[in-house]
Structure formats: structure tokens, C-alpha cells
DNA sequence: TTGAAAATGAAATTCAGTTTCAATTAGTTT
DNA sequence: AAACTAATTGAAACTGAATTTCATTTTCAA
């Protein structure tokens, strides 16, 4: 049930596969929203009352370490975690009214970013492009 | 000594010009770094021991309200404030080793951003583009 | 089965950010 | 210039998310 890559990651680090981790990881992989620790905690609670907040928190951190999740913190929001889909980097449009998060990719922007970096003799390791505004449903 | 726009802003809102505000605003305008409340508080303390942290905090918020400063929060960092220079929007390159912040602007990226928004029927109100990596001094 | 190491949940802690409140100050009105 | 009113101040208290602690429980290799 639990993701193979994650189980492999645990083994490689000498960590243990526990019932709680199974539940949390399983839920995280299913829910394909950008969820907060809070969100996942409640979802996990519905499956098993004994799963604590700290465990959810720690499991999400492990998922990030394992490279399966990414931590995002949008302006004025709590930290959210998203599933990393096969090396495909993407950025976000965030609706400031309803909170909807839309992912986008744009190769031409990435190319221009390279140029900007070169101009400043800067070695890029990561970037974050967030566009805030109103989504199609909220703009009128 | 204190910025005219800020004084005007205070009057327009029926707020008062105080010694503390004079000192804090004056320092903020001089220091052209991206400074934290902490930074400014220490600078202000050197000028006048009686200036408290809350006053610095509140004065920075006022500067933002007045449109003279912008609040920025880079990944893993505390909130920083930067002076708004004449309507010129810019983005940032942030060195993950030494913390240096380099500003950049790129019209072509802004244009592409418009396209992305249009494609998703999204009305942009703001954006944030942060590129993390190693600056020229730290990259070797 | 057992023992060592890791994991757990509840509670405590941290830390930046923010608010409260009694005392002080600014600046208008008399 | 004195009085008055509302805004401001600094210290301390509070907030809320994130993180850690710790005694107990669980995993899993030997």
C-alpha cells in the first residue's frame, strides 16, 4: 500500500516502517491537493484516532527528505506540502480570494531565468515563482 | 529630516509625527539593505536607547501602508523590509550561502507571465519571483 | 524471543510576529 | 500657554505555527 520509494528511503536510512507512516504517506499520495499538516492530520485521524499531530508533521518532513514531497509557503498561508511529480518543476498561480492553486510550467521563462543568472554570475539551485491574483471563478 | 511622503501620509491619516518615528524612518531610508525589524531595532537603539521593538515594528508596518516599503519573506528567513523605489517592480536572486540579495528586472519575463495568466484566465494582482543559489562571491 | 534503536503522542517549548495596557506625548483647541 | 483629546509608546503578555522533549511503545535484526 505504501509507496515503494518511501519504503526504500526508510530502509536506506535505517528507519522503520510503521502503521502511522503507512497511513499518512498513503493519504498524502492519494490527496493530490497542496495540503497542510493540519489537513493531513485530520484526514489521518479519520482513519485512526491514535495518529498524533507530531507524527504527521514528522512524516511529511521525511517525505521531503526522501524527495517525494516539497514544502511550499505561499504568502500569508500556512506551510503546505505537495507531491513531487517526476522531476517536472512547476510554479504557481494562487487565487487570493478562494485559495485555489494552479500549477504552471513555462520553458521560455526558465530560459530567461538562466540569462538573468548568467548576467549576475549567479549559480541557480532553485527558484520560486508565485503569481497572486484572482482565478477564473473569482475574477468577476 | 524625515521623508516628506511619510509625513504627508501621517497627516492624511490623522497620525502623529513622533521622535521615534523620525529616527526609525530616517534610518530605514538610509540603510538601503533589506532589513529585518531586528536589524532596524538595533540601529535605532544605537541612536536612542528608549526606542522599543514594538515601535520599530509598528513604524515599518506604517511605511508599508504608506507605500514606501515592501515586506518580503524569503525562504527560511525572517521578514525583511525594502524601500520601494519609484514604482519599479523587481524580483530577487538570493544567495543561500551568504544571504546576499540581488535585485533584477526582466520585461520579457513579465510579458510571458501575462501570457501564462491569460491562458488560465487569471487576473494578476502581484507576483513573487525568487531565484535561490550561489552569488558570484560564493559560487566557487 | 529478546534487546537495541527508532517511533510515538501528548505536552512543553520556541520564535517571530502581534496585541494589550497603563503611562506618556503630540498637537489642536481654548 | 494651559488644557484637553486622541494617538503613541515600551514592556510585557499573547498568539499560532513549527519544532522538540521525554517517557512509553513499537519495530525488526540477531
Amino acid at each position: 500500500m505504501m509507496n515503494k520509494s518511501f519504503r526504500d528511503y526508510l530502509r536506506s536510512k535505517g528507519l522503520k516502517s510503521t502503521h502511522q507512516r503507512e497511513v499518512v504517506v498513503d493519504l498524502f499520495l492519494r490527496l493530490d491537493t497542496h495540503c497542510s499538516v493540519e489537513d493531513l492530520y485530520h484526514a489521518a485521524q479519520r482513519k485512526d484516532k491514535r495518529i498524533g499531530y507530531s507524527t504527521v508533521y514528522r512524516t511529511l518532513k521525511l517525505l521531503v527528505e526522501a524527495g517525494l514531497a516539497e514544502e511550499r509557503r505561499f504568502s500569508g498561508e500556512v506551510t503546505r506540502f505537495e507531491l513531487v511529480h517526476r522531476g517536472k518543476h512547476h510554479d504557481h498561480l494562487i487565487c487570493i480570494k478562494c485559495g485555489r492553486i494552479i500549477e504552471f510550467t513555462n520553458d521560455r521563462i526558465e530560459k530567461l531565468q538562466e540569462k538573468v543568472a548568467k548576467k549576475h554570475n549567479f549559480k541557480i539551485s532553485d527558484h520560486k515563482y508565485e503569481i497572486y491574483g484572482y482565478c477564473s471563478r473569482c475574477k468577476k
Side-chain angles (χ1 to χ4, degrees), chain A residues 13-25:
Chain A
K13 295 278 172 182
L15 305 177
K16 292 165 182 173
S17 274
T18 66
H19 166 67
Q20 287 91 329
R21 285 175 179 168
E22 297 268 342
V23 173
V24 174
V25 172

Side-chain angles (χ1 to χ4, degrees), chain A residues 11 22 40-41 44 46 60 72 76 115:
Chain A
R11 305 203 103 243
E22 297 268 342
L40 247 194
Y41 169 67
R46 259 173 262 125
L60 280 167
R72 302 270 176 196
K115 278 199 176 173

Side-chain angles (χ1 to χ4, degrees), chain A residues 1-13 15 17 25 29 62-69 83-86:
Chain A
M1 199 95 311
M2 179 159 67
N3 186 282
K4 175 137 184 337
S5 318
F6 187 61
R7 187 167 272 153
D8 287 348
Y9 177 78
L10 292 179
R11 305 203 103 243
S12 78
K13 295 278 172 182
L15 305 177
S17 274
V25 172
L29 298 176
L62 277 175
L63 280 162
V64 171
E65 280 173 42
L68 297 169
L83 185 56
V84 172
H85 3 284
R86 333 271 106 262

Side-chain angles (χ1 to χ4, degrees), chain A residues 12-130:
Chain A
S12 78
K13 295 278 172 182
L15 305 177
K16 292 165 182 173
S17 274
T18 66
H19 166 67
Q20 287 91 329
R21 285 175 179 168
E22 297 268 342
V23 173
V24 174
V25 172
D26 194 43
L27 280 168
F28 177 72
L29 298 176
R30 284 176 199 292
L31 299 170
D32 76 325
T33 54
H34 292 69
C35 62
S36 64
V37 178
E38 197 69 15
D39 293 340
L40 247 194
Y41 169 67
H42 286 122
Q45 279 278 304
R46 259 173 262 125
K47 293 250 170 188
D48 184 341
K49 282 284 175 203
R50 289 167 310 164
I51 296 177
Y53 178 89
S54 343
T55 299
V56 175
Y57 168 79
R58 288 184 282 226
T59 305
L60 280 167
K61 289 273 159 186
L62 277 175
L63 280 162
V64 171
E65 280 173 42
L68 297 169
E70 273 182 20
E71 213 172 316
R72 302 270 176 196
R73 190 180 198 155
F74 302 121
S75 178
E77 277 281 311
V78 296
T79 300
R80 294 185 173 279
F81 294 82
E82 70 178 32
L83 185 56
V84 172
H85 3 284
R86 333 271 106 262
K88 191 74 181 161
H89 174 85
H90 62 261
D91 292 295
H92 302 85
L93 291 159
I94 301 111
C95 179
I96 56 180
K97 190 157 180 222
C98 72
R100 181 147 73 118
I101 295 161
I102 302 153
E103 299 178 357
F104 76 90
T105 54
N106 187 306
D107 294 342
R108 293 173 67 195
I109 290 178
E110 309 269 307
K111 286 255 167 58
L112 287 169
Q113 167 185 276
E114 296 291 336
K115 278 199 176 173
V116 169
K118 185 163 271 175
K119 193 164 138 194
H120 290 89
N121 196 18
F122 192 91
K123 183 167 165 30
I124 298 175
S125 69
D126 195 12
H127 77 267
K128 190 187 280 186
Y129 197 172
E130 294 161 11

